[in-house]
Amino acid sequence: MAVVASAPGKVLMTGGYLVLERPNAGIVLSTNARFYAVVKPLYDEVVEVEWMDVKVNSPQMSRETTYKMSLKDFTLDCSSESRNPFVEYAVQYSIAAAYATLEENKSNNKLQKLLSQGMDITILGCNDFYSYRNQIEARGLPLLPESLAALPPFTSITFNAGESNAENCKPEVAKTGLGSSAAMTTAVVAALLNYLGVVDLPYSSKDQKSEISSDLDVVHMIAQTAHCIAQGKVGSGFDVSSAVYGSHRYVRFSPKIISSAQEAVCTTPLDEVIGEVLKAKWDHERTKFSLPPLMNLILGEPGSGGSSTPSMVGAVKKWQKSDPEKSKETWDKLSEANSALESHFNLLSKLAAENWDSYKTVIDSCSMYKSEKWKGQFSEARHIELVEALLGAREAMLKIRYHIRRMGEAAGIPIEPESQTRLLDATMDTEGVLLAGVPGAGGFDAVFAITLGDSSTNLTKTWSSHNVLALLVREDPCGVSLESNDPRAK
């Protein structure tokens, strides 16, 4: 009877800050790091209830939280200390969505029966979402991906000691910046909506047909709303969008869709509010995008414990207000460089499809050299066209980094701090590395690189010598899907 759903973490490769405002686009890559939600009945027998029992387990955090939920107005009563607002809103809104969409089934026996058995929800995140550097160092293991691979799956999480309220705003849990709250919210919403019969999701997003896409849209609308309201702000939503749909080029939805729901909640029954959210005109844009073939996304963790995105975004907004002219100029140049990078990637994908042998020859050869030697390897026009597209992508990334640093300096925040600049320069100077940058809002989180062919081991060594741990995360274009069993049983 259990339903298991999973959703991926993300890397925002381009569009940091800009993606907050329409019509700017961001390129978001989904990863093989996934969050899982397992939903099953809490009791075997059916009890007539007005308050439903809900139990939420997070084994990695050694936490169990119990709730009573009113089936009249969907309020949650919690007796535990440790609460997770993302899971709470996911539960409330998914159940409200079941009432809103299965309207004629208000007295529907199946829904009532499921709810009266209570709910047991378990959430599990891949190790990749969390930082295990301290544990690796404590065990005296080398800072290499092999040390991470030796950890058991869903290893328990270390908490940042005593620094949660200090000046440096370190999060309670050390994370790698892959969007764990969005992936978790999406996995919980998907599992619940499937469990309650609101949607019928595929078992692998590879077999997503067009008729399934309307089910994905329902998951997206509920997860996006729950995530924004749990965060207390209407963010750009790219992280939830990639958790649902996988890698793509994203333009945000108009914030009023969710802010009007936020206001309505105070005066209108929740199932009616969620009904309106599902009927609303969601105007986000999603265009197919994934990395060209034989290119790998690699992430490296410098071990500085993460940055606080909301405060960085606040600083950029303040700068935009105080210097509209200069900030617009920087944003326009950044937007131009983002578009250039996207065009070079699209051209490379097109060239790969048109002439695979030439493409593979060029990638294999370039993977063995530093970028300044790439051009000298070839004399044929078709090979040179490919090398120029690779160098064009590099050039665009260097421009993106330049404008991002200028924006950080102007706003007084470390978007690409000096330590990261040194690291990224050394990264881009490694054999077989196409480009590197700070993902998303930047700061001291993990850095990303795109490598060619089999050259990733070169980078792992370079990073290790800079005290940077190469993570096991890779791009995986698949979005949310059902799983055939509990991931711990694998």
Side-chain angles (χ1 to χ4, degrees):
M1 191 51 222
V3 169
V4 186
S6 71
K10 54 71 195 155
V11 172
L12 185 67
M13 187 169 67
T14 68
Y17 299 97
L18 272 75
V19 76
L20 287 161
E21 292 180 12
R22 290 172 59 81
N24 298 321
I27 289 178
V28 58
L29 302 177
S30 53
T31 67
N32 57 357
R34 296 183 79 86
F35 238 95
Y36 297 84
V38 183
V39 177
K40 57 184 192 218
L42 195 52
Y43 310 120
D44 294 335
E45 68 283 357
V46 176
V47 214
E48 279 297 308
V49 286
E50 278 187 17
W51 288 84
M52 171 177 89
D53 291 332
V54 180
K55 188 169 87 176
V56 178
N57 291 303
S58 175
Q60 285 156 295
M61 307 257 191
S62 313
R63 286 181 181 170
E64 182 177 295
T65 312
T66 48
Y67 299 95
K68 285 203 173 294
M69 180 176 184
S70 159
L71 294 179
K72 279 214 169 88
D73 62 2
F74 312 104
T75 47
L76 279 174
D77 271 5
C78 178
S79 48
S80 321
E81 284 285 283
S82 58
R83 301 183 65 161
N84 183 329
F86 294 100
V87 175
E88 291 178 19
Y89 284 109
V91 170
Q92 286 177 298
Y93 291 11
S94 299
I95 293 174
Y99 274 81
T101 50
L102 310 167
E103 192 55 60
E104 60 279 11
N105 312 340
K106 258 281 165 68
S107 58
N108 163 336
N109 297 337
K110 191 176 168 208
L111 180 62
Q112 292 305 324
K113 180 178 173 233
L114 281 174
L115 296 176
S116 62
Q117 286 177 277
M119 268 182 200
D120 182 334
I121 302 168
T122 302
I123 48 176
L124 298 154
C126 278
N127 291 347
D128 304 297
F129 286 101
Y130 303 102
S131 173
Y132 291 98
R133 271 187 74 119
N134 296 349
Q135 278 162 283
I136 286 172
E137 286 169 343
R139 292 181 187 189
L141 296 169
L143 273 184
L144 291 169
E146 290 76 7
S147 304
L148 279 174
L151 293 170
F154 312 114
T155 296
S156 48
I157 290 156
T158 46
F159 291 83
N160 271 334
E163 293 173 348
S164 316
N165 311 321
E167 275 302 284
N168 60 5
C169 275
K170 274 198 184 177
E172 178 190 26
V173 175
K175 295 182 185 173
T176 52
L178 291 175
S180 52
S181 62
M184 174 176 64
T185 304
T186 303
V188 172
V189 167
L192 285 169
L193 292 177
N194 215 91
Y195 179 78
L196 297 170
V198 178
V199 298
D200 185 7
L201 295 172
Y203 272 90
S204 141
S205 34
K206 290 194 176 65
D207 44 65
Q208 280 176 7
K209 314 277 188 300
S210 52
E211 65 270 17
I212 295 166
S213 74
S214 66
D215 280 345
L216 291 178
D217 295 343
V218 173
V219 173
H220 176 253
M221 292 184 271
I222 300 300
Q224 202 66 271
T225 308
H227 190 254
C228 285
I229 292 181
Q231 266 186 329
K233 65 181 177 58
V234 184
S236 70
F238 75 86
D239 43 5
V240 170
S241 187
S242 65
V244 175
Y245 301 108
S247 299
H248 58 275
R249 175 187 188 272
Y250 175 78
V251 177
R252 72 158 306 154
F253 54 87
S254 302
K256 65 171 189 296
I257 296 170
I258 289 178
S259 49
S260 55
Q262 258 171 321
E263 288 157 25
V265 169
C266 310
T267 53
T268 315
L270 187 61
D271 51 336
E272 288 178 30
V273 175
I274 295 300
E276 288 307 310
V277 164
L278 292 170
K279 285 192 209 112
K281 189 183 177 321
W282 286 75
D283 51 2
H284 57 289
E285 291 167 36
R286 220 172 62 246
T287 320
K288 214 171 143 56
F289 181 90
S290 60
L291 287 177
L294 306 180
M295 292 192 188
N296 312 294
L297 169 73
I298 312 279
L299 292 173
E301 189 198 345
S304 20
S307 318
S308 168
T309 304
S311 56
M312 308 243 303
V313 169
V316 168
K317 286 189 164 166
K318 205 165 135 190
W319 162 64
Q320 283 180 288
K321 278 202 181 83
S322 67
D323 193 348
E325 206 171 304
K326 195 94 189 95
S327 62
K328 187 184 180 312
E329 188 191 329
T330 303
W331 274 45
D332 289 347
K333 285 181 176 159
L334 195 46
S335 179
E336 216 171 283
N338 287 343
S339 299
L341 180 60
E342 189 188 338
S343 315
H344 288 299
F345 273 140
N346 288 337
L347 173 61
L348 285 159
S349 292
K350 179 173 161 280
L351 294 172
E354 286 168 3
N355 189 338
W356 175 252
D357 292 342
S358 295
Y359 179 84
K360 188 174 183 328
T361 301
V362 170
I363 298 289
D364 287 349
S365 177
C366 293
S367 73
M368 295 186 276
Y369 297 97
K370 294 185 180 188
S371 61
E372 64 263 23
K373 293 198 173 154
W374 291 353
K375 249 190 171 153
Q377 306 304 312
F378 304 100
S379 52
E380 285 185 49
R382 58 192 178 155
H383 291 153
I384 289 168
E385 182 186 12
L386 279 156
V387 174
E388 280 174 349
L390 289 171
L391 293 171
R394 259 184 90 83
E395 194 47 45
M397 192 68 212
L398 288 169
K399 283 185 180 154
I400 290 170
R401 287 183 49 205
Y402 171 74
H403 294 303
I404 272 179
R405 283 197 299 274
R406 293 205 42 191
M407 179 160 75
E409 284 155 17
I413 48 164
I415 301 179
E416 187 187 292
E418 243 173 83
S419 58
Q420 299 281 56
T421 298
R422 286 194 298 274
L423 171 61
L424 293 172
D425 289 347
T427 302
M428 285 184 74
D429 194 37
T430 302
E431 292 83 351
V433 172
L434 176 63
L435 51 87
V438 287
F444 296 95
D445 279 344
V447 294
F448 76 89
I450 305 294
T451 63
L452 303 177
D454 300 325
S455 62
S456 306
T457 45
N458 301 335
L459 182 56
T460 302
K461 289 186 190 118
T462 301
W463 276 353
S464 197
S465 69
H466 282 79
N467 197 28
V468 172
L469 173 60
L471 303 179
L472 300 166
V473 180
R474 296 291 179 267
E475 187 207 10
D476 179 349
C478 298
V480 72
S481 68
L482 292 186
E483 300 285 334
S484 43
N485 48 26
D486 187 314
R488 290 167 296 184
K490 283 177 188 168

